[in-house]
Amino acid sequence: MTACLIIHGFTGGPYEVEPLAFYIEKHTDWHVVTPNLPGHGLGEGRDLDLLQVSYKDWIHEAERAYLELKEDHDDIYLIGFSMGGMIAAYLAAKYTCKKLVLLSTSRRYISIPRISVDLMNFAQKAVRRKLEEDALYNHYRTKYGSVPIRAIREFLKCMKFTKPYLKEIHCPVFIAQGMQDGMVPYKTVHYLDKEIPVDAEIIYFHDSKHLICLGEDKDVVINAVYQFLLK
């Protein structure tokens, strides 16, 4: 039997990867699991409670989900979005998996030039009174003020802890990155590819921002991931 574990990103939740999870469930007989990491919520900005959790709690929950799947499934595909990509990489290195998919993975974090472009676009839309219709603006706004400094430190600890495991990955790897990503610079892919010892399959999506499974070209992204898993 086959299972697919999909891990969401920092300050997000399973909603970030739901379109991909639903697609895989619809087109396969695989068991698909999208755990909710401790302190995270069910929707954008909702139910975030990150003050009392640590990066170890996030990794432990993902590890628990993996080991539970491993009890009844021979093959496991690991998919991680943003911070979840680094956690998925850690699991792939420690326990192995059939294939690993990294989506907008935060090997490096925050693209200041890209965020500056987003802010300029927000200002232009505000002048035209169309800012409230902008999905990216609403995504940033719902999270503003809900992420404590301590949680950001835990995120950075998570990046530091998982980074060495990139060199221990030996399964097939697919990396998907949006060129318009305002959080993770697209150049991050270079560092991921350099540290992972296998030849990864890499696709850059020109119109995709950070929420690569929720953007306008999400169908193209999802199909690319699906085709990679089927190979």
Side-chain angles (χ1 to χ4, degrees), residues 210-223:
H210 188 56
L211 295 168
I212 198 166
C213 292
L214 298 176
E216 293 181 2
D217 52 357
K218 66 178 184 298
D219 293 338
V220 179
V221 174
I222 290 170
N223 185 62

Side-chain angles (χ1 to χ4, degrees), residues 22 28 33 41-42 72 85 147 190 197 203 206:
F22 289 158
T28 70
V33 174
L42 301 177
D72 300 313
V147 182
H190 168 75
I203 298 182
H206 186 269

Side-chain angles (χ1 to χ4, degrees), residues 83-151:
M83 179 183 78
M86 292 301 289
I87 295 176
Y90 159 77
L91 294 175
K94 184 175 180 179
Y95 298 106
T96 74
C97 65
K98 190 166 185 179
K99 291 183 180 180
L100 171 66
V101 175
L102 304 177
L103 306 172
S104 307
T105 294
S106 355
R107 165 61 184 83
R108 288 191 169 188
Y109 196 61
I110 301 180
S111 170
I112 300 301
R114 183 62 239 175
I115 289 179
S116 298
V117 172
D118 287 337
L119 291 175
M120 186 177 296
N121 289 336
F122 294 160
Q124 292 173 348
K125 289 187 177 182
V127 171
R128 300 198 304 270
R129 298 180 181 274
K130 293 185 176 182
L131 188 57
E132 297 296 327
E133 303 171 8
D134 189 280
L136 182 62
Y137 167 74
N138 287 315
H139 176 71
Y140 286 150
R141 186 178 65 173
T142 53
K143 290 186 177 181
Y144 180 75
S146 62
V147 182
I149 297 298
R150 181 185 183 280

Side-chain angles (χ1 to χ4, degrees), residues 16-202:
E16 294 176 315
V17 293
E18 272 183 354
L20 174 60
F22 289 158
Y23 187 91
I24 293 174
E25 285 182 324
K26 181 179 179 180
H27 292 85
T28 70
D29 59 356
W30 304 346
H31 182 38
V32 181
V33 174
T34 56
N36 190 47
L37 301 182
H40 291 75
L42 301 177
E44 292 191 8
R46 294 185 302 162
D47 307 320
L48 284 179
D49 186 13
L50 296 168
L51 193 58
Q52 302 300 324
V53 296
S54 73
Y55 81 93
K56 293 180 181 179
D57 296 321
W58 305 331
I59 290 175
H60 175 76
E61 176 59 22
E63 203 161 9
R64 182 205 61 75
Y66 174 91
L67 293 174
E68 189 173 288
L69 288 174
K70 194 62 178 174
E71 291 179 1
D72 300 313
H73 300 85
D74 299 319
D75 296 321
I76 296 180
Y77 296 112
L78 286 172
I79 301 175
F81 164 72
S82 196
M83 179 183 78
M86 292 301 289
I87 295 176
Y90 159 77
L91 294 175
K94 184 175 180 179
Y95 298 106
T96 74
C97 65
K98 190 166 185 179
K99 291 183 180 180
L100 171 66
V101 175
L102 304 177
L103 306 172
S104 307
T105 294
S106 355
R107 165 61 184 83
R108 288 191 169 188
Y109 196 61
I110 301 180
S111 170
I112 300 301
R114 183 62 239 175
I115 289 179
S116 298
V117 172
D118 287 337
L119 291 175
M120 186 177 296
N121 289 336
F122 294 160
Q124 292 173 348
K125 289 187 177 182
V127 171
R128 300 198 304 270
R129 298 180 181 274
K130 293 185 176 182
L131 188 57
E132 297 296 327
E133 303 171 8
D134 189 280
L136 182 62
Y137 167 74
N138 287 315
H139 176 71
Y140 286 150
R141 186 178 65 173
T142 53
K143 290 186 177 181
Y144 180 75
S146 62
V147 182
I149 297 298
R150 181 185 183 280
I152 296 174
R153 288 199 295 264
E154 291 302 314
F155 165 83
L156 295 174
K157 289 178 183 178
C158 185
M159 296 300 97
K160 183 177 180 180
F161 173 79
T162 53
K163 177 192 168 186
Y165 287 91
L166 292 172
K167 299 182 183 298
E168 305 300 324
I169 294 171
H170 299 290
C171 64
V173 178
F174 176 79
I175 301 174
Q177 177 64 45
M179 294 292 288
Q180 310 303 321
D181 194 328
M183 301 301 291
V184 176
Y186 68 86
K187 293 181 180 179
T188 294
V189 172
H190 168 75
Y191 297 99
L192 284 171
D193 189 41
K194 185 177 180 180
E195 293 179 50
I196 296 173
V198 300
D199 291 329
E201 182 177 332
I202 301 170

